[in-house]
Amino acid sequence: MAEPEIRFERQGHAGIATLSRPGALNALSHGMVSALATTLAEWHDDPAIRVVIVRGEGRAFCAGGDIRAVCEAGRGAPEQKAFFHDEYRLNAAIKAFPKPYVALVDGYIMGGGAGIAVHGSHRAFAENAVFAMPETGIGFFPDVGSSFFLARMPGETGVYCALAAARLRRGDAILSGIATHAVPAARFDAIVAHLAETSDVDAVLAEHAEVVEPETLPGLRGDIDALFATGSVESIVTRLEALAGANAEWARRIAEAIRAKSPTSLRVALRQIRAARALSFEDCIRLDWRIACAILDGHDFYEGVRAVLIDKDQAPVWKPATLADVDPEAVDRHFVVPPEGDLPLP
């Protein structure tokens, strides 16, 4: 019998969900999404469960949703939109969950992994934790409600992360609000044991936490804020390429990274994150649904998944190929209610 992709157990007052698909870096399958949503609903109403803990097996917390499976289902297959429908509703349920929700994060936390962690009340990052939203590199966009927290990161850090797929280690993640605590991975089991005995999550995490310094953001924040604050994607790239001074080499690498990503996704993501600053979480997740439905009808998502995850030639052929060729009306279509209607929230 195959091992379950996600395991659930009770330990004292704690309900524990363990992502157990390490060979796929715990990428979320539709079955994992459905199982977590069902169990969270049960724990929501169970007075014996006072805290929920989510963790991952292997070298990743969760590297994202299983978008390869979504792509391989075939354009127009009902299960494509069904996956995002259920995933986004899960994200909303986590955001609204009334009990402490603790993500113990070691290794990669990307895309859909952020969606099942960052919306919870507490995020403890271990030494090897690395956060990123890399979706523009596969012709997609920062979804799972991430626009809500990206738009509320200090200054223009969230726009930087969205466009460049910048990776933040745990010190930067704490500075930007992605993580709430820095905790050595060796203490994760002790934290679980303590949380099973008490519902005072803040006290338990404070007991095991350590102080870490940000890795890169303090030295970059001034330039990030100046470079990403205004204008189009093209103007941001132009400013990056023209930057002189101590961060010139960083800026050149970031400009090169942005130019390699889907032009359509870049334009959509920039508009999305800027709009999210004035939106509630619920409106952000509804917007994700609208954008996802439009992207599934396009070209770049399938090409990006092919190039990065299937053929792995790392040479996607985007259509259109340049930012200048992206039709503004095509971007607009990502922001309208799809024929299926808006996402019904739990």
Side-chain angles (χ1 to χ4, degrees), residues 6 17 19 26 28 32-33 36 40 54-55 61-62 64 87 90-91 94 101-103 105 109-120 122-123 144 149:
I6 182 168
L19 310 179
N26 294 322
L28 294 173
M32 294 166 74
V33 167
L36 182 54
L40 277 184
V54 182
R55 60 191 307 187
F61 172 76
C62 175
E87 184 183 26
L90 171 62
N91 302 143
I94 292 170
Y101 180 105
V102 182
V105 177
I109 172 171
M110 299 182 177
I116 62 167
V118 181
H119 300 312
H122 299 76
R123 290 87 62 191
V144 297
F149 60 74

Side-chain angles (χ1 to χ4, degrees), residues 163-188:
L163 297 187
R167 296 186 175 191
L168 304 183
R169 300 196 67 87
R170 67 172 177 170
D172 285 339
I174 286 176
L175 181 64
S176 62
I178 297 300
T180 59
H181 297 79
V183 176
R187 299 184 188 175
F188 278 6

Side-chain angles (χ1 to χ4, degrees), residues 190-240:
I191 289 172
V192 172
H194 289 178
L195 290 177
E197 300 171 354
T198 175
S199 56
D200 192 344
V201 176
D202 292 326
V204 170
L205 291 178
E207 177 183 347
H208 293 278
E210 57 187 359
V211 176
V212 297
E213 296 299 321
E215 290 83 7
T216 63
L217 288 182
L220 297 174
R221 266 293 308 282
D223 285 329
I224 289 172
D225 291 352
L227 295 167
F228 287 84
T230 60
S232 64
V233 179
E234 294 99 316
S235 65
I236 291 171
V237 172
T238 297
R239 289 194 292 267
L240 282 162

Side-chain angles (χ1 to χ4, degrees), residues 216 218-220 223 227 240 242-253:
T216 63
L220 297 174
D223 285 329
L227 295 167
L240 282 162
L243 186 71
N247 292 329
E249 176 59 24
W250 162 84
R252 185 197 63 77
R253 287 189 288 102

Side-chain angles (χ1 to χ4, degrees), residues 32-54:
M32 294 166 74
V33 167
S34 299
L36 182 54
T38 298
T39 303
L40 277 184
E42 294 171 358
W43 288 346
H44 179 287
D45 297 328
D46 188 341
I49 298 296
R50 299 181 185 174
V51 59
V52 168
I53 302 167
V54 182

